[in-house]
């Protein structure tokens, strides 16, 4: 096989989710509907928080940023997935493939850090309520959001830098619906074992550190409140349930895809769909359906 450099402008062939045209037509309707709901839901949350003065607090400021990231994350791969259902031959340029990798890790890494910031906000609100206003001030909130974007960018650019110059061999076929580093590296004409270890370490450190910080935050919240008040423990558990659910749904696929690869194609595709399509859809519902202030804000829109 001949090694081909990215400068030739070659394209990757995307094998997609299935070969059946009937099933693809069905999936086109399903994923188009899910994407539309995801976009409208996340944009609605952002606009609602901006418009309603009762929601101008640190928790909802962070929630608005989470919804914006979910909007961006779902838009990295889903539009391409939907349009490919209409095509006989599914391809993506080398540049488009690298963009998917960059923005996927950019928004994904940023969301990890933002979830940690939201956990810290809940920790301060529940464990240090008297100091909440002074700790979670405007500067702190902006700093937490900026930190999530910066870490996401550094993580993404470091991942991209390690693969963008690799020589690839034909056929350039990706057995998935989008470009991701493990799939692209399989097409390299050189031994990538060391590079795979570095990339997994990069992703693993960010994901593991974020997950550990989240576990510590929520464990300390529940331990502190249980120690002082059983009634308070029930309230704190109710407050944090949505956050914990979102964390599990977000980090679950990441752990299997990057930290514990199964090398089973249909499992990888299912986890990729869950991460790229389902999670950005579920987050708005998880954070709003049980939130009384959000419900009240929606009621105020009717008057």
């Amino acid at each position: 096989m001949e090694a081909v450099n990215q400068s030739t402008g070659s394209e990757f062939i995307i094998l997609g989710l299935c070969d059946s045209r009937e099933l693809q037509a069905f999936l086109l309707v399903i994923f188009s509907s899910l994407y539309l709901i995801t976009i409208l839901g996340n944009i609605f949350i952002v606009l609602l928080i901006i418009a309603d003065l009762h929601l101008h607090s640190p928790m909802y400021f962070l929630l608005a940023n989470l919804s914006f990231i979910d909007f961006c994350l779902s838009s990295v791969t889903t539009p391409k997935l939907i349009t490919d259902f209409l095509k006989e031959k599914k391809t993506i340029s080398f540049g488009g493939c690298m963009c998917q990798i960059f923005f996927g890790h950019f928004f994904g890494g940023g969301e990890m850090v933002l979830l940690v910031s939201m956990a810290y906000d809940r920790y301060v609100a529940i464990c240090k309520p008297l100091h909440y206003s002074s700790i979670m001030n405007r500067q702190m909130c902006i700093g937490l959001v900026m930190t999530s974007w910066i870490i996401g960018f550094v993580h993404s650019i470091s991942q991209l830098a390690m693969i963008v110059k690799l020589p690839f061999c034909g056929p350039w076929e990706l057995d998935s619906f989008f470009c991701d580093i493990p799939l692209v590296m399989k097409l390299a004409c050189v031994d990538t074992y060391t590079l795979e270890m570095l990339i997994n370490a990069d992703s693993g450190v960010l994901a593991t550190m974020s997950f550990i910080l989240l576990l510590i935050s929520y464990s300390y919240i529940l331990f502190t409140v249980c120690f002082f008040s059983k009634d308070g423990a029930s309230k704190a558990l109710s407050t944090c349930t949505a956050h914990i659910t979102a964390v599990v749904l977000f980090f679950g696929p990441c752990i299997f895809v990057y930290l514990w690869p199964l090398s089973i194609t249909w499992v990888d595709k299912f986890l990729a769909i869950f991460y790229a399509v389902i999670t950005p859809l579920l987050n708005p519902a998880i954070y709003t359906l049980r939130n009384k202030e959000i419900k009240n804000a929606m009621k105020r829109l009717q008057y």
Side-chain angles (χ1 to χ4, degrees):
M1 290 185 293
E2 182 183 357
V4 183
N5 191 270
Q6 62 270 21
S7 61
T8 61
S10 300
E11 293 181 325
F12 289 99
I13 298 171
I14 299 176
L15 300 183
L17 296 178
C18 61
D19 297 324
S20 170
R21 297 300 300 176
E22 292 78 10
L23 183 56
Q24 288 188 48
F26 173 74
L27 292 177
L28 170 64
V29 176
I30 296 298
F31 285 114
S32 296
S33 301
L34 291 176
Y35 181 62
L36 181 61
I37 296 171
T38 300
I39 295 303
L40 293 178
N42 283 295
I43 290 177
F44 175 74
I45 291 175
V46 173
L47 295 179
L48 180 65
I49 292 174
I50 292 174
D52 196 307
L53 296 178
H54 296 85
L55 301 180
H56 288 189
S57 66
M59 183 177 76
Y60 294 107
F61 175 74
L62 296 175
L63 177 57
N65 279 275
L66 177 67
S67 292
F68 179 71
I69 288 183
D70 279 331
F71 163 79
C72 296
L73 185 61
S74 66
S75 299
V76 172
T77 58
T78 310
K80 174 66 175 171
L81 167 65
I82 293 171
T83 55
D84 279 346
F85 285 132
L86 302 172
K87 300 177 182 177
E88 187 69 30
K89 183 179 180 182
K90 305 170 179 60
T91 62
I92 185 171
S93 66
F94 180 86
C97 185
M98 293 301 107
C99 283
Q100 279 196 341
I101 291 174
F102 174 80
F103 286 109
H105 284 268
F106 178 37
F107 296 124
E111 182 158 340
M112 288 183 187
V113 181
L114 189 59
L115 288 171
V116 175
S117 300
M118 296 178 73
Y120 176 71
D121 171 72
R122 291 300 84 205
Y123 158 74
V124 177
I126 295 172
C127 298
K128 298 183 178 181
L130 299 179
H131 302 284
Y132 181 73
S133 298
S134 60
I135 295 175
M136 294 301 298
N137 53 41
R138 182 181 179 85
Q139 291 74 21
M140 172 63 78
C141 292
I142 294 175
L144 290 173
V145 171
M146 291 300 298
T147 299
S148 69
W149 287 106
I150 292 171
I151 292 179
F153 177 79
V154 172
H155 164 69
S156 182
I157 203 70
S158 65
Q159 295 271 296
L160 188 65
M162 286 188 273
I163 67 164
V164 71
K165 293 297 183 180
L166 285 175
F168 297 98
C169 299
W172 288 27
E173 293 184 345
L174 299 172
D175 193 6
S176 185
F177 63 92
F178 76 116
C179 286
D180 200 9
I181 290 178
L183 298 172
V184 172
M185 291 186 68
K186 291 180 180 178
L187 306 180
C189 298
V190 295
D191 182 15
T192 60
Y193 178 78
T194 302
L195 200 57
E196 287 177 14
M197 293 298 102
L198 289 173
I199 289 174
N200 287 335
D202 187 351
S203 296
V205 168
L206 178 59
T208 303
M209 289 297 295
S210 298
F211 194 63
I212 289 174
L213 289 173
L214 287 164
L215 287 177
I216 292 173
S217 298
Y218 289 121
S219 297
Y220 193 80
I221 288 171
L222 297 178
F223 174 79
T224 302
V225 179
C226 286
F227 182 78
F228 287 105
S229 168
K230 291 184 178 180
D231 294 334
S234 177
K235 183 178 179 181
L237 183 60
S238 177
T239 302
C240 297
T241 297
H243 292 232
I244 295 171
T245 303
V247 166
V248 172
L249 292 175
F250 183 82
F251 280 90
C254 290
I255 290 173
F256 281 100
V257 172
Y258 292 101
L259 304 182
W260 189 13
L262 299 177
S263 298
I264 303 175
T265 302
W266 72 267
V267 175
D268 289 339
K269 288 183 180 181
F270 172 78
L271 292 174
I273 289 173
F274 195 89
Y275 177 77
V277 180
I278 306 301
T279 300
L281 170 66
L282 290 179
N283 274 349
I286 290 171
Y287 280 98
T288 58
L289 289 180
R290 297 181 60 187
N291 190 300
K292 292 183 179 179
E293 292 188 40
I294 291 287
K295 291 180 180 178
N296 291 334
M298 289 189 288
K299 290 179 181 178
R300 284 192 289 269
L301 288 177
Q302 302 174 2
Y303 301 101

